[in-house]
Amino acid sequence: MQKIIIDTDPGQDDAVAILLALASPELQVLGITCVAGNVPLPLTTLNARKICELAGRTDIEIFAGCDAPIKRKLITAEHVHGKTGLDGIELPAPTMPLQDQHAVDFIIETLRAAQDHEITLCPLGPLTNIATALTRAPDIAIKIKQIVLMGGAYFEVGNITPTAEFNIYVDPEAAEIVFKSGIDLVVLPLDATHKVLTTRARMDRIKALNTQIAQAVISWTDFFERFDMEKYGSDGAPLHDPCVIAYLLQPDIFTGRYINVEIETQSQLTLGMTVADWWGVSGRKANATFMGDVRADAFYELLTQRLSQL
Ligand code: RIB
Ligand code: CA
């Protein structure tokens, strides 16, 4: 059983990732920590509660974290996710509570109580909570088994600017702290996530499950995919965040390289770029396993099978 903390800014794709994690007995979700990103913090926490309630998991502890990047103004993505951040099916107002403890304190306290290298952190949004915890309590680093995050891009370049992926762009200083932490990092960048498109055939198989969960997932992807389909002219949109959970469950469907990845924090033009030394030309020390490819059909096979269990 892998002990994980999901740090998230739901977000339709975050929602599917959370459902995939809750449907997988290999994973013990110790808590869900919310961060400002796709939409402001009050909405990401509300959405996380709606998602857990939809999954019948009111036992999951949900925490509110940082409501803005470490040193910059928050940039959100309502243009992709809608004004609620979870546009699609109308879900009832949640009854499950939001925990009183701040997400960063939860992360620190949980890690301090753990064994060395015991807990995997799964950031699905800007890295503000993770970086704040590492800065406030450097002693927790040894307790982290891996940080498996969705963020960055190399061959796919940017999705919010010509050179930056959204999660990194929102808080590049936080990303720099995480990427320089020396912690075992696995990065699921756009290079991988752009290969798991919500094609009609794949979504029809999920729809055929004919469950409330499947209906919710389809309503979210129907809404979420229009932005990318208009922009890229693709058949479907990338289902970014579930790639993090799929990696935990079936790492061998992903391929990548252990390389140096550094974050641009100074240039206005390329702020938030993940400078991935894919070809090993920089001589800089490798610090991350950066995924470049994924077996998309295997990914959707896994996702559909697990959603059928919820
Ligand atoms: O760039 C894609 C990432 O930004 C995903 O995590 C999506 O949810 C948004 O947060
Ligand atoms: Ca996200």
Side-chain angles (χ1 to χ4, degrees):
M1 176 92 77
Q2 294 184 58
K3 293 184 175 182
I4 70 170
I5 293 174
I6 298 175
D7 190 76
T8 179
D9 63 335
Q12 288 88 349
D13 60 320
D14 304 66
V16 180
I18 291 167
L19 291 180
L20 178 57
L22 296 179
S24 299
E26 305 93 318
L27 306 177
Q28 183 185 353
V29 179
L30 300 178
I32 293 179
T33 52
C34 301
V35 66
N38 285 321
V39 284
L41 185 68
L43 284 175
T44 59
T45 54
L46 176 66
N47 293 338
R49 292 159 64 204
K50 285 183 174 182
I51 296 155
C52 286
E53 227 155 80
L54 173 71
R57 291 297 306 275
T58 53
D59 60 301
I60 296 287
E61 292 189 330
I62 298 172
F63 301 82
C66 300
D67 62 3
I70 287 177
K71 65 173 246 193
R72 294 174 188 272
K73 230 171 73 51
L74 177 63
I75 292 165
T76 53
E78 286 88 348
H79 60 291
V80 179
H81 299 275
K83 67 178 180 10
T84 70
L86 198 61
D87 281 29
I89 193 170
E90 194 63 39
L91 290 173
T95 56
M96 68 185 285
L98 184 63
Q99 300 300 312
D100 295 336
Q101 189 179 31
H102 190 284
V104 172
D105 295 327
F106 167 74
I107 291 169
I108 292 170
E109 187 182 276
T110 304
L111 288 172
R112 280 186 169 152
Q115 304 297 313
D116 288 3
H117 308 301
E118 184 180 15
I119 295 177
T120 299
L121 302 185
C122 303
L124 310 178
L127 291 162
T128 317
N129 286 341
I130 311 300
T132 304
L134 287 171
T135 306
R136 203 185 294 169
D139 58 286
I140 64 174
I142 189 139
K143 303 300 184 77
I144 300 168
K145 178 181 174 190
Q146 271 187 329
I147 297 179
V148 184
L149 68 91
M150 192 277 136
Y154 180 58
F155 291 103
E156 280 298 310
V157 291
N159 63 356
I160 186 80
T161 73
T163 55
E165 177 280 327
F166 179 80
N167 288 340
I168 308 297
Y169 181 69
V170 168
D171 197 340
E173 283 73 23
E176 184 175 51
I177 289 166
V178 171
F179 278 73
K180 287 195 177 329
S181 67
I183 294 165
D184 185 348
L185 272 192
V186 177
V187 181
L188 283 300
L190 299 182
D191 303 59
T193 68
H194 276 200
K195 295 182 173 118
V196 287
L197 298 179
T198 58
T199 63
R200 207 62 281 131
R202 289 166 177 162
M203 301 329 283
D204 285 349
R205 267 200 292 283
I206 290 177
K207 191 181 275 182
L209 296 177
N210 202 17
T211 62
Q212 194 196 8
I213 294 276
Q215 279 159 13
V217 167
I218 295 300
S219 80
W220 292 331
T221 53
D222 280 351
F223 182 88
F224 160 84
E225 67 188 9
R226 26 174 265 306
F227 175 79
D228 281 81
M229 286 170 75
E230 272 156 39
K231 176 176 172 181
Y232 297 106
S234 50
D235 173 14
L239 209 44
H240 305 287
D241 293 338
C243 287
V244 167
I245 307 302
Y247 173 81
L248 298 179
L249 299 170
Q250 286 183 5
D252 56 1
I253 68 173
F254 296 90
T255 50
R257 291 182 183 180
Y258 183 57
I259 58 173
N260 177 269
V261 181
E262 307 225 349
I263 310 296
E264 176 58 62
T265 59
Q266 305 306 315
S267 157
Q268 283 311 308
L269 185 61
T270 58
L271 183 69
M273 181 176 189
T274 46
V275 182
D277 188 6
W278 185 262
W279 303 109
V281 298
S282 71
R284 292 191 292 263
K285 188 171 173 303
N287 61 331
T289 299
F290 193 86
M291 294 303 176
D293 205 354
V294 53
R295 287 193 284 114
D297 286 339
F299 169 85
Y300 275 98
E301 193 65 40
L302 171 69
L303 176 62
T304 308
Q305 191 276 327
R306 292 300 164 100
L307 289 177
S308 73
Q309 306 299 307
L310 265 183

